[in-house]
Amino acid sequence: MRNVIYAINITLDGCCDHTKQIADDELLEHYAHLLQDVDLLVYGRKTYQLMVPYWPDVAKDPSSTKADKGFAQAFDSKRTVVFSRSLDSVEGKNTRIVRTNLRDEILKLKQEPGKNILIGGVDIPSQLVELGLVDEYRFVVGPIIGGEGRRLFEAVNLPEKRRLKLVESKILKSGCVALRYLKQ
């Protein structure tokens, strides 16, 4: 069975607003490496529209940095599922919109052969956390106090706390800390 991996950047105070994060070459290389173990990306509409067309355009831009191009090409090569009730269309032949039940679709995707599934954003991952369908958490914590903005898991309602097992940590040159947790 494929694992569902939730990856996101957060500040020390739990803010997950992308404008408050450190985005340097080392971070892009970190995520490009993660994408090697993934063959399916799952997003909601907001995160999809944040990523596309930005990264596919970077992949085609000859003036892009090596790190930008490496992440962009890895990102652009993946199949993508977008959960949305409002999107009329998506870009790229590898992307499809799903309007059915989130739980049922993720359970079906987990049963398909292939590499891991990477989820990003806040809304869809929060729902999957509540449903107990996230197998692994990859947080990059930046040395920043955002002070405002959306907080990670602020809307998650769990019947009981979830214990996670730390299996990897890495300090990046920027002071960010990459953490990898598995569901226990």
Side-chain angles (χ1 to χ4, degrees), residues 22-40:
I22 294 172
D24 62 8
D25 287 355
E26 188 178 24
L27 186 66
L28 288 168
E29 291 165 2
H30 169 80
Y31 281 111
H33 180 72
L34 171 59
L35 287 174
Q36 292 175 4
D37 297 327
V38 169
D39 65 3
L40 178 65

Side-chain angles (χ1 to χ4, degrees), residues 40-43 48 52 56 75-83 87 89-98:
L40 178 65
L41 306 173
V42 174
Y43 299 123
Y48 172 74
V52 175
F75 171 84
D76 199 35
S77 71
K78 305 300 175 190
R79 289 187 312 128
T80 304
V81 170
V82 181
F83 283 89
L87 266 181
S89 63
V90 290
E91 293 184 27
K93 62 184 180 303
N94 292 332
T95 303
R96 67 183 175 97
I97 298 172
V98 175

